[in-house]
Structure formats: structure tokens, C-alpha cells
Amino acid sequence: MEINYQLQGPDLENLRRHLLLGLRRQRGGMIRRLGVWVFIGFAVNFAMRSYRQEDWNVYHYFMWLLPLTLFFIALIWLPIWQRSQYGQRWLEQYAGNYLLNLTPAGISYRAPDGRISFYAWPEIMGFEAADTELYLYLRRDIAIPIPRPALGDATDVDNFIRKVRDYWSAHPDNAGKTLPAMAPTPHVIQLAALAGNLLQATRLAFFINYEPRAFRVSLGIFLQLLLLNLLSIGIVDYVDAMPAPEFNIYGLNKFGITTLLMLGGVAIIGNLTLQRENMLRLLVIISASQIVIHTIYFSSWLAAERWWPDLPQVLLGLYVAAVVWTLAVVFGILRRLYPQPAPSLLFLLSIYAFFTLSLNGLLPSYRLYYPAETEDDSSEYEAANRLDVEDVFYRQTELLNEELAALHDQRQGKTDLYFVGFAGQADERVFFNDVSLARNVLDRRFNTAGRSLVLVNNADTVYNAPLANRHNLEAVLQGIARRMDKEEDVLFLYLSSHGAQDHKLSVSFWPLRLNDLKAEDLKTLLDNAGIRNRVIVVSACYSGGFLDVLKDDNTLILTASSRDHVSYGCGDFTQYTYFGESYFAKALAKNASFISAFEEARRLIEEREQNEALDSSGPQIDVGRNIAGILENLEVDTAEPGQSLAADLSFDQRVRQGRRFEQDATARDYEKKHVLPAMSAALSKSLTDCLSQHDANNENFTLVADILPDGGIENIDYQPATNTAACFGKALGGLSLPPLPDELSSLPVIYEMVFAD
């Protein structure tokens, strides 16, 4: 059915007034909705600024206020402009001859300038028969006017009205619906449409028969599905970050880029199939399906993380299953929307997978919520940020001299073992934990107490322990060489840090600028010191590259990985590396042989890597021809169970040693769980008695003591030696504590008592 008609200026003005009248009926609701959104916008922006703890500053809000200001200016200016000569002139350009053609598929519409538009029947939102014109609504504020005289007499008008409604109702997307007289007022949140789409998506996700045309499709619904998907991801991240979740703005960036990649993949599919009209429908169906899949996947993931935390292969299996499930669902969607052969559909699926999986996988992984930074984490950062770099470097000589002066001399006729730990990376405490663990085990099992020291890059120990760098390592090796018998004694050197494929050991401590340690440099340091008998353990990725450089007849070398593989366990969420825990905490703690302990540790590591579906790290060992016989002369388990670390140490040395143990992971946990609660109770009980003595002294004092393996407390000392300090020392000596963990042979503790004025 084809209709030619003409629109003049008065007709267009009537159209404008008619649409404006309809909008005025809704203006109150629109203004209320605008007010709500403005309030929400200000509230969200204020909350985010408060969260960031930024001071009130107009500049912070300018970029948000600018578009809002432009919007309200346009809202006020529009009616003024419409009544001006510019508005009338703009309206006159649409005057002229129009050609309207009704077809079963939709309406084609040719304007006076020759442009032809086509609107499918689902795009017609309303059809109003007014006194002088008929209006086909594309939106509440956009309509195609048709003068009644252009249609003929009343019978022709009725035929036209009936044909429009019949065509509209016959379209599959409008089945069971009635064409309204006015375009309905759109709801901000279309709950019925969302619920219907999610119901169909559930059928689709479980491969139950569904009808693609049953999905309600619009740009607004697509955006709401995206927000719903974002909400589901946010809830999962929030729950996983409990009990102290912290919002991460970069998680929104990741979600936005992921959405753009999905849009890119769908756009290419639409262009290749020459069916661009299905692009929005494809986006809506995929988005609804993702919500269903994500809800089930993330729920399973949270459950597995809670009930099987030691089985990461379960999480990996869930991820692989979710990827396969998603691709299978998308393949089913493509098969229903695009009638193509199976190979062609698989090609389209590969495009979607390339954008949403391959390219998306190149992006850094940001979650919407992370566990809030702990007090320890924030204090480490603040301590590093406050470092006086010049003071740190000038203190190194003093710290090294103190450490070396505290070392015991070698014993004639006995093979002594000297331990040096090197924790090269300051960003992750796990390396310091590894070195502390190794020293504790060797002190307890191989009598290195008094002959062990550590070089550490850590903000909390920077003023009482030497840095881990090449110059300090050289000074320590030279100092130990002067104390040991180079023919019969043995050096045990343990280095723990990140490694690289060029076989350098990472040495890093921001804001200090330190140089990485190469295997060749380490060999030069050892050779120059003249230390002959060596046990060198390197726990780092690609640490096998150190083996060929360092091996000789008098050296035992152990590495956590081969030269071309990574090792595992570094990071902020592990206490020890896989190698450090397996070798020192498990194997060497019960084995008298460094070599046998390595074989046991390698077996434990291989089992763990297999259980966690990790590539083999391939720990390496090289036993020099002479070193095995020398190691047989080491004393093992000769230290008495109650022997402490206090022997031959001055008070100041014991204080410094105790401060270092405060940063040891095992020692810190033991003190937090057992020592501090017991001390608080004892001090509360004895506080009145100690201060009520006739000769009580309120002078501040420092108290040091050693906790023995059985939990007993000995070697209590204090300075200055006041009666009050002696009273508190007696109260401390009467405490009964649980036995120390196996990793600790003795635990020096420090208490500084400060009395308020």
C-alpha cells in the first residue's frame, strides 16, 4: 500500500505541538526521575571521593558537573529555540512531498530530500488516530505524521488503520501483543523484560529448547543486562574479599574493556553474515546467558575455594568447564540466529573466542574488590616510604661489624657450620621468611646458633639488619673466612629471591637502587674470600643456571628449579616458597644429611606440583667429589634442647637479635597467639604489686628473655637494673607457654616498658 502526501509548515508545527503536549503529560515524572538520578550521581561521586580520602575540591567534580550543566542548559534552551526564527527555519526543511509504503515487513518512508528509511514493525511503538492526522510513533517524542485527507475518505482511512494493525500484529516479534495508541513510557528498569530474558537464557544455558524471538531486545535492556552481570561479579568479588573488602576502581576498567571486546567480536560476526539487524539480539542473548553461567560458575568457585582450599586443580577444572560451557552456549545461539553450515558457525565462534578469551586474556586481571591492605602491609609500605636512603647506606658498616662481632670463633678439631642467609627481594616477605626458617632449622639441628647471620631487604629490619646486596655479602664472606678454619669448616649460603631467565638473582628494595646478583659475581666473592667448603642453596626461578658456574669438588649446590623452569611459592599469600618449606621445614628438620634431605624435598615438591597441575620446576643438585665426606663430620643435634641463643651475647646484641625475630613469620605468629596474651595477663596481675613496693622505680626499662623449645623462659635480663624491672622479670619467668614450633630452636623476646609521666 503506497501513499503520497505533502507536509507544509503548519502541518509540521502541529506535529511539534502534538508531541510536546504528550511529553508535558509525563514531564512531572521525568523531572522526578532526573532528580533521583542527579541525587544518585552526587551520592556515588561523594562516596568515591570520601573513600579515596580526598579533600573537597571543585576540580574533582568539574568533569562530572560539566555534562550535567550542559544537559540542563539544553533542556532550558530547547523550547526557546523552537519558538525562534532559527527553530522555524529548521522545521521548514522537512516540508515537501513524502512517500509512505506499507509492507508485511515494515514501513518504507521517503523524505523530501530523497532519503529513504525503513522501519520494521517491532520498531513502531504506537499508532494514534487523531482528528486531523494519524501518527506512527517510533518513540514517544518521534512520530511519522500522515494527514487524513492524503488517505482519501473515511473508508480509506479505516482500511489504512486496519492494515497497519494487522501488519503489526502479524510480525513474529509482536505475537500476542496489541499496538498501543501512544508509545508507552519507558521504565528505567524493565523488570518484566529482564526476568523473561533470564528465563529464556536459563533454558538456553541448559540446552533446553528456546525461542530466540522470545527475548526482549533493546539497547536499554542490553545495558541493564550488562549492569546485572557487573553486579553479580561484584557480589562474588566482595564475598571473596571478606572480611575486609576494598573497592578497586580498576575492576570497572577491566569490565568495560571486556565489554568492548565482546562488542567488537559481535560486530565482525554481523558484518560477515550480512545480518547486522541481529547484532543487538545476539548481544542481548549472550549477555543474559553470561549472567546465568557466571552465577553458577562463581557460586561453585566460592564453594570450592572454601571447602577445598588445598586443591587448586578443582578451581582450574571449574574454569575450564565454564569456558567450554560458554562456547557451547554461544555456538547454540549462533546456530539459531544465523542459518549457516556447522563449519561456518565454528568459524564465527572462533572469532568470538578470539575477542572475548584470547585478547581479553592479554589484559591484566583486576577484580572489583580486593582484601583490604592489612596493617602489616601498610606499615611496610609506609616504612619503606620513610626511608632515609643516605642514613641506611652509612649504617651498613656499623651493622655488619656488629653482626660479625657476634659470631663465635671456630672450634679446633671440629667441623663447624657457618650459615649466611640472603633475602634479596623486599617486596615480598616470603623470601625473608624462607631465610629465617633456614637459619632456625640449622641453628637447632646443625649447631649454627652463634654462627649464623642474615642479610635482608625488608623495611622493618632495615635499621637493625644489614641489607642483602653484593657489597654486604662480600664483607660477610670475608668476615666469616677470618673466623673459620677454611680447611675443615663449611659455609652454608642460602639465597632466596626472584630469578630471571638470564640467571640473575633479583636484589631489590625500593626506594634503594640495588644491583642484581649474577652467578659469576657470587663465585668471585666466594673465591676471593678463600672459603673452600661450601653448601650453596639457591631458591629462585631458573636457579639451575647457577649450578654450572658454582660447582666444584668442594661444593654442594642445590637449586629450586632447573635453568629453564620456574619455581613456586613466591607472592604475598604464601608463608614459604615450595622449595624452602619442603627442604627446611619438612625434609632437613628430620634428616641429618643435606643430600638425602634434598631427595626427600624433591619428592615432596613433585607431588605438590602434580596435585596442583603445575609444570615441574625440576630442582637440581650437584655434589662435589670431596664435599660429601666433609659434611659427614658435621655435628647434628648436639645442642641441648633447652639451649638458647643468648650464650656469649651482650645485652644490646640480644635486643637486636630479638628485634630480628619479631619479623620472623613463625615467631610472630607464636608471639601473637601465646606470648602476648600470657604477658598481658601476667603484667596486669603483677602491675599493682611491682609498683606498690616501697622502693619501686618508675624509670623506663627494656627486658629481654629467651623462650626455650619446651615453652620455658630463661636468661631474663633487663636494663637499667631497677627493682621494678626485677619484679616484672620475676613475673615473666613464672609464665608457662606452649612448646615452640619445630622451626624455632629458641625465641628471644623483648619488652620495652614505658611509664606515663
Side-chain angles (χ1 to χ4, degrees):
M1 184 176 185
E2 192 173 274
I3 302 167
N4 278 293
Y5 63 94
Q6 191 177 65
L7 293 178
Q8 299 299 329
D11 300 317
L12 296 172
E13 180 63 23
N14 288 337
L15 171 63
R16 186 186 68 80
R17 291 177 179 176
H18 185 80
L19 295 176
L20 185 61
L21 180 63
L23 290 174
R24 282 175 178 171
R25 296 170 186 165
Q26 299 295 325
R27 179 166 294 178
M30 181 185 71
I31 293 177
R32 284 195 298 271
R33 289 195 296 272
L34 284 174
V36 170
W37 282 111
V38 169
F39 174 78
I40 292 174
F42 269 112
V44 170
N45 194 268
F46 179 78
M48 292 182 66
R49 294 302 178 186
S50 299
Y51 161 78
R52 294 180 181 179
Q53 298 181 348
E54 294 180 1
D55 296 332
W56 177 274
N57 191 321
V58 175
Y59 174 77
H60 294 153
Y61 295 87
F62 176 75
M63 300 308 293
W64 191 85
L65 290 172
L66 179 60
L68 185 65
T69 303
L70 294 176
F71 172 78
F72 278 106
I73 291 175
L75 206 62
I76 296 171
W77 189 17
L78 179 61
I80 299 174
W81 178 85
Q82 287 175 337
R83 290 174 174 81
S84 69
Q85 59 175 332
Y86 302 103
Q88 295 297 325
R89 192 178 305 162
W90 182 86
L91 197 61
E92 288 173 359
Q93 67 178 318
Y94 293 98
N97 294 320
Y98 287 82
L99 177 63
L100 183 71
N101 189 22
L102 300 185
T103 70
I107 298 173
S108 64
Y109 189 67
R110 189 181 69 188
D113 59 2
R115 289 181 299 173
I116 298 177
S117 303
F118 179 81
Y119 303 101
W121 287 113
E123 297 179 78
I124 304 301
M125 307 302 295
F127 180 44
E128 180 184 8
D131 293 338
T132 57
E133 284 92 13
L134 305 179
Y135 298 99
L136 289 166
Y137 286 94
L138 302 176
R139 209 172 62 193
R140 193 165 186 84
D141 57 344
I142 299 178
I144 299 174
I146 307 167
R148 280 179 176 265
L151 299 173
D153 56 21
T155 302
D156 294 329
V157 172
D158 291 340
N159 288 336
F160 179 83
I161 294 174
R162 185 175 60 256
K163 188 173 288 292
V164 167
R165 289 176 175 162
D166 289 345
Y167 279 154
W168 191 91
S169 300
H171 196 279
D173 285 359
N174 297 327
K177 301 177 185 178
T178 302
L179 179 61
M182 293 283 291
T185 303
H187 297 285
V188 175
I189 300 178
Q190 303 180 44
L191 293 178
L194 289 176
N197 285 353
L198 290 177
L199 178 61
Q200 290 296 322
T202 303
R203 297 176 61 87
L204 168 62
F206 288 98
F207 307 103
I208 302 173
N209 188 37
Y210 76 101
E211 176 52 53
R213 294 292 175 181
F215 282 87
R216 295 280 297 276
V217 176
S218 71
L219 180 60
I221 290 176
F222 170 61
L223 295 177
Q224 290 172 42
L225 287 171
L226 286 181
L227 291 176
L228 193 58
N229 195 13
L230 177 64
L231 177 63
S232 66
I233 295 173
I235 291 174
V236 171
D237 288 348
Y238 185 90
V239 172
D240 191 47
M242 294 289 282
E246 185 172 327
F247 179 69
N248 176 30
I249 191 67
Y250 295 105
L252 293 178
N253 294 347
K254 175 63 183 294
F255 182 82
I257 296 175
T258 300
T259 302
L260 287 176
L261 289 174
M262 181 179 69
L263 291 174
V266 170
I268 291 179
I269 291 174
N271 280 320
L272 290 176
T273 58
L274 300 179
Q275 297 186 40
R276 299 182 183 88
E277 67 277 4
N278 273 335
M279 285 172 52
L280 185 57
R281 183 173 300 277
L282 178 59
L283 288 171
V284 167
I285 298 176
I286 289 178
S287 299
S289 303
Q290 281 182 337
I291 294 174
V292 176
I293 295 174
H294 285 172
T295 300
I296 296 174
Y297 164 62
F298 287 134
S299 300
S300 304
W301 186 78
L302 285 175
E305 190 178 47
R306 178 178 180 181
W307 291 327
W308 300 290
D310 297 327
L311 294 176
Q313 61 269 28
V314 175
L315 299 179
L316 178 62
L318 286 174
Y319 173 75
V320 173
V323 170
V324 173
W325 188 13
T326 300
L327 293 179
V329 168
V330 173
F331 183 84
I333 297 171
L334 295 173
R335 185 169 60 87
R336 294 295 297 271
L337 287 182
Y338 304 102
Q340 301 284 337
S344 299
L345 293 175
L346 194 62
F347 174 72
L348 297 179
L349 181 65
S350 70
I351 294 174
Y352 178 83
F354 174 74
F355 276 85
T356 59
L357 295 178
S358 303
L359 294 182
N360 192 31
L362 298 176
L363 301 174
S365 179
Y366 292 115
R367 304 181 66 175
L368 288 171
Y369 286 93
Y370 280 111
E373 191 176 59
T374 64
E375 185 176 344
D376 289 343
D377 293 335
S378 60
S379 63
E380 281 187 27
Y381 174 79
E382 292 172 1
N385 201 35
R386 292 194 302 266
L387 281 183
D388 185 330
V389 176
E390 184 175 294
D391 184 46
V392 168
F393 279 119
Y394 276 105
R395 283 179 59 87
Q396 294 308 300
T397 301
E398 177 186 353
L399 292 173
L400 285 169
N401 290 337
E402 290 178 358
E403 290 285 349
L404 292 172
L407 291 178
H408 296 174
D409 291 328
Q410 63 90 23
R411 298 170 297 174
Q412 290 292 336
K414 292 188 177 182
T415 301
D416 291 315
L417 184 67
Y418 285 81
F419 172 81
V420 176
F422 186 97
Q425 180 67 243
D427 294 341
E428 298 172 11
R429 184 178 286 266
V430 64
F431 303 115
F432 182 28
N433 294 345
D434 259 18
V435 168
S436 299
L437 170 66
R439 183 186 61 181
N440 294 336
V441 172
L442 291 173
D443 282 354
R444 178 168 55 87
R445 296 276 287 129
F446 293 88
N447 202 24
T448 60
R451 295 183 180 86
S452 63
L453 60 82
V454 293
L455 304 177
V456 181
N457 289 335
N458 185 279
D460 292 335
T461 64
V462 68
Y463 292 111
N464 53 38
L467 295 176
N469 59 33
R470 185 172 61 84
H471 290 282
N472 283 358
L473 180 58
E474 180 179 21
V476 165
L477 294 177
Q478 294 285 348
I480 289 178
R482 289 192 293 268
R483 289 186 175 272
M484 71 188 315
D485 185 326
K486 299 176 184 177
E487 296 299 322
E488 65 179 9
D489 294 339
V490 180
L491 170 71
F492 192 112
L493 176 60
Y494 179 44
L495 305 103
S496 181
S497 187
H498 286 302
Q501 290 178 303
D502 59 358
H503 307 126
K504 290 181 181 179
L505 197 70
S506 174
V507 181
S508 173
F509 189 178
W510 182 87
L512 309 179
R513 298 187 63 181
L514 305 177
N515 298 322
D516 292 343
L517 183 64
K518 296 186 293 185
E520 292 79 7
D521 293 337
L522 180 57
K523 179 174 175 57
T524 299
L525 297 181
L526 291 165
D527 291 344
N528 290 344
I531 298 176
R532 179 184 176 191
N533 304 319
R534 312 164 184 171
V535 177
I536 303 175
V537 182
V538 185
S539 178
C541 294
Y542 311 106
S543 51
F546 279 68
L547 193 142
D548 291 337
V549 178
L550 298 176
K551 66 181 181 180
D552 62 32
D553 290 345
N554 288 76
T555 301
L556 169 65
I557 305 176
L558 313 177
T559 66
S561 65
S562 63
R563 63 182 301 110
D564 54 359
H565 284 83
V566 299
S567 56
Y568 303 102
C570 56
D572 294 325
F573 302 102
T574 54
Q575 185 176 9
Y576 304 115
T577 63
Y578 284 18
F579 182 84
E581 181 177 3
S582 299
Y583 186 68
F584 292 104
K586 296 180 179 179
L588 195 59
K590 301 176 182 178
N591 201 311
S593 167
F594 295 145
I595 299 172
S596 299
F598 174 81
E599 299 300 336
E600 173 66 12
R602 178 156 57 184
R603 182 187 63 80
L604 294 173
I605 292 171
E606 289 174 351
E607 289 180 357
R608 185 171 183 178
E609 290 170 345
Q610 290 174 4
N611 291 336
E612 298 178 8
L614 299 173
D615 291 338
S616 175
S617 55
Q620 302 291 302
I621 183 173
D622 184 85
V623 184
R625 183 172 53 186
N626 303 325
I627 191 64
I630 297 173
L631 294 178
E632 291 177 357
N633 298 323
L634 290 175
E635 292 183 351
V636 181
D637 285 331
T638 58
E640 293 295 328
Q643 183 176 338
S644 74
L645 301 177
D648 301 328
L649 296 182
S650 67
F651 183 85
D652 290 340
Q653 288 172 333
R654 292 184 63 192
V655 169
R656 187 159 43 82
Q657 188 177 57
R659 294 198 188 285
R660 207 161 54 228
F661 268 87
E662 288 178 350
Q663 308 306 322
D664 181 278
T666 305
R668 188 171 62 249
D669 290 343
Y670 179 84
E671 286 197 50
K672 183 177 180 180
K673 292 179 181 178
H674 305 297
V675 181
L676 294 181
M679 274 297 301
S680 298
L683 290 178
S684 298
K685 184 178 180 181
S686 60
L687 184 62
T688 304
D689 296 338
C690 292
L691 294 179
S692 63
Q693 299 177 119
H694 70 279
D695 56 351
N697 189 312
N698 288 352
E699 184 178 357
N700 300 337
F701 64 86
T702 300
L703 183 148
V704 295
D706 289 331
I707 302 176
L708 304 181
D710 61 358
I713 300 178
E714 290 187 357
N715 302 315
I716 299 172
D717 195 5
Y718 35 82
Q719 286 188 4
T722 64
N723 291 335
T724 304
C727 180
F728 278 108
K730 183 178 179 181
L732 178 63
L735 293 180
S736 178
L737 299 173
L740 290 176
D742 292 339
E743 295 93 330
L744 300 173
S745 60
S746 179
L747 177 58
V749 291
I750 315 164
Y751 297 99
E752 293 181 323
M753 185 63 67
V754 179
F755 295 97
D757 295 334

